[in-house]
Amino acid sequence: MDNYEDRLKSALINQHKKWFDHNTRSLRPEHAQEINCPVCDLAAHKLYFQKDWFKFVKCSECGMVFLNPRLNEKATYDFYNSEWTAIYNERKFDAVPRTIKLDDIINETNLNLLENFADKRTDGNRGNLLEIGTGSGFFIRKAVEHGYNAYGVELNYNNCMKVKDLLGDNIINADLYSARFSARMFDVIYMRDVFEHVPDPKRMLYEMNRIANDGCVIYIEVPNIEGLIYKIVKEKHVCVFGFEHLNYWSPQSLARILGTCGFEVAEIKHESLDFTLSRLLAHFCEASFTSIEPVHYPAIVKLLARFVSLGFSLPLLSTIDKRLTPLIADSMRRGSVIKTIARKTGDILLI
Ligand SMILES: [Zn+2]
């Protein structure tokens, strides 16, 4: 099978077969783990939605949405070394991404956003910046250009090698805990598209608190489950992905967990690049690449959605759609993605 999309789908179906019992349509016990709410630690929750037999629940106390039961730690890390991940990385990291220009613009925007909050030293050095999950290294290269003394932790060895020339020993092929950074070492800590994957978010924030300098600025970018697009397409969204995404944050749940871990939210920006009429219609035509089951809409709905979406392939309509429709979600503070800036308020002493 040569086609990239077909290989990706086939690998996902094979992985699903390994993890799930097809009689009970639930995770096999050896791969599963029941948890309490990762934010408030209470057990009471209600089913929010299901996708590909994964169950997503909403905490009855704080409203946090999370996968439960979820894959245990071994299964979670196994997936990062799975056939599906290897195929996915062919385009995400290993090839020159088609989105490199867009990525550059986003990284520049995010650095400018950070600089509204981070203090610049008199010697021109912006201090120590840590990126958790450096990926292809585009952000950290820009951070060095902006005058930061940059460090990175990254689980994928090949990705580490991509920034070795720039960072030397400052790029560490390990998780945050194994890197064992000194206390109060960093002035800025940055993570984009990472926090939704983290099995124990409080443990990570406690470690970030320990290595954060007084007044350290942290940046966390995650999908917003309270975003307008999730309210409309629900579990059909590409980011609702039980294989990898354990936690589904909102401005409220993120602010709450940050508050309990020694940080205070300074600003939350909303961004909705995927909230366009054209993309909304696509959800009614076919399943996303992170789903193994086809969408269940009547043929007439699919046909109508395809017909209308043809109109949005016209250049003028497409441009208007991409420029204006996202503003609706952002202005309602219901963006697809939230970029959260928070500041360290004090040390958390763990007993
Ligand atoms: Zn809760």
Side-chain angles (χ1 to χ4, degrees), residues 221-283:
E221 181 173 328
V222 282
N224 172 20
I225 197 66
E226 291 295 324
L228 217 47
I229 193 149
Y230 293 94
K231 295 292 171 192
I232 297 171
V233 306
K234 301 187 170 67
E235 73 279 3
K236 289 180 179 62
H237 195 280
V238 67
C239 285
V240 178
F241 186 35
F243 293 78
E244 269 197 0
H245 294 169
L246 308 174
N247 298 312
Y248 295 80
W249 300 100
S250 68
Q252 294 74 22
S253 57
L254 206 47
R256 182 159 172 165
I257 197 169
L258 282 164
T260 61
C261 297
F263 296 99
E264 186 178 55
V265 171
E267 182 159 356
I268 295 183
K269 287 239 177 227
H270 291 247
E271 190 177 80
S272 308
L273 299 178
D274 65 349
F275 190 71
T276 61
L277 294 173
S278 157
R279 296 279 287 271
L280 281 172
L281 286 166
H283 287 93

Side-chain angles (χ1 to χ4, degrees), residues 154-162 173:
E154 166 63 44
L155 292 173
N156 183 296
Y157 177 79
N158 290 336
N159 281 343
C160 283
M161 289 303 106
K162 288 175 186 166
N173 184 205

Side-chain angles (χ1 to χ4, degrees), residues 37 39-42 59 61-64:
C37 172
V39 175
C40 72
D41 204 33
L42 292 185
C59 173
E61 158 61 22
C62 76
M64 176 68 185

